[in-house]
Amino acid sequence: MIRARGLVVRDASEPARPRLDHVELTVEPGTFAALVGESGSGKSTLLRVLSGFLTFDEGEVEIAGLALRSGPTAEGLRLALRRRAVLVLQEANLFPHLSVTENVTLALRHVRGHDRATATRAAHAMLERLGLDAHKEAAPESLSGGEAQRVALARALVLEPPVLLLDEPTSALDPKRRADLAGLFREKAAGGMTLLGITHDEALAASANARFTMAGGRLSR
């Protein structure tokens, strides 16, 4: 589950204009939710708070059973949160010295503790699901923007986190790949994963189970 109550984030330079203004949000387990709104409305700020990368000034947050309070978050709690709520940024941020398979298996091996063979099987299955079978041993520099974006998604999805947070997951994809990804997100939600994704892709937003709109730091349905 994703839940926020009275969530406020202020800029020190403009305290009277909060980036998040008493946001109330509930995303039930097994839901794929779309977060839409104009640039600068607070969508990315909300995702950064929910993933533990940004502190907040007022309110409460609960992610996959972990409760966060305003102010600094203990390092142990941040690490626990990032294991349960995985954030996929719009930029792929792949390790250039590792192959596609090595990028996808890295967290499986060193965070989840899988052996190399098990991690590789899981990675190859997810890469095939995302249409990247031919690029398993490729170097990141050889990939197109859309291919790199799908590798970053594979790296997150293969971890099977309780919560997946997505920043414009289809921005570099063609219409067919966008439709395929929408189907995969619905499939993961049906299996119990909770997904919240920022998107300007109306087709992706329409395929979601729930839709939230941000404007001026405020959230509505």
Side-chain angles (χ1 to χ4, degrees), residues 18-216:
R19 286 192 279 167
L20 297 181
D21 190 358
H22 295 90
V23 166
E24 304 281 331
L25 169 70
T26 299
V27 183
E28 298 291 346
T31 300
F32 167 36
L35 181 58
V36 302
E38 295 182 358
S39 297
S41 61
K43 304 185 303 298
S44 294
T45 298
L46 178 57
L47 240 59
R48 290 176 65 205
V49 168
L50 296 177
S51 58
F53 285 94
L54 182 67
T55 59
F56 51 99
D57 298 292
E58 295 179 26
E60 299 178 354
V61 171
E62 181 183 347
I63 304 288
L66 292 177
L68 306 179
R69 300 290 182 264
S70 58
T73 302
E75 182 64 19
L77 181 56
R78 273 202 304 271
L79 290 174
L81 175 61
R82 289 170 194 171
R83 287 173 180 246
R84 300 190 195 186
V86 174
L87 173 63
V88 183
L89 296 170
Q90 191 170 355
E91 300 80 19
N93 293 320
L94 302 177
F95 290 103
H97 62 291
L98 300 178
S99 69
V100 164
T101 293
E102 289 168 333
N103 267 281
V104 177
T105 59
L106 192 64
L108 274 176
R109 294 173 57 211
H110 297 286
V111 177
R112 295 292 194 252
H114 296 328
D115 61 70
R116 183 183 295 273
T118 301
T120 298
R121 284 195 298 272
H124 286 176
M126 184 56 70
L127 289 168
E128 184 175 358
R129 179 69 174 80
L130 289 170
L132 293 162
D133 192 50
H135 302 282
K136 291 184 295 189
E137 304 310 322
E141 65 182 13
S142 70
L143 303 175
S144 69
E147 288 163 351
Q149 188 173 40
R150 281 180 283 150
V151 172
L153 284 166
R155 182 174 57 186
L157 286 164
V158 79
L159 295 170
E160 293 289 342
V163 172
L164 187 63
L165 304 169
L166 303 154
D167 184 6
E168 296 288 358
T170 62
S171 61
L173 305 184
D174 60 44
K176 182 184 182 305
R177 295 296 183 197
R178 291 181 182 185
D180 290 345
L181 203 57
L184 179 57
F185 291 159
R186 289 194 301 269
E187 176 187 313
K188 290 297 182 183
M193 188 182 291
T194 306
L195 302 94
L196 176 63
I198 293 173
T199 186
H200 287 95
D201 180 349
E202 278 300 320
L204 182 64
S207 74
N209 307 116
R211 176 177 177 136
F212 299 92
T213 301
M214 290 216 67

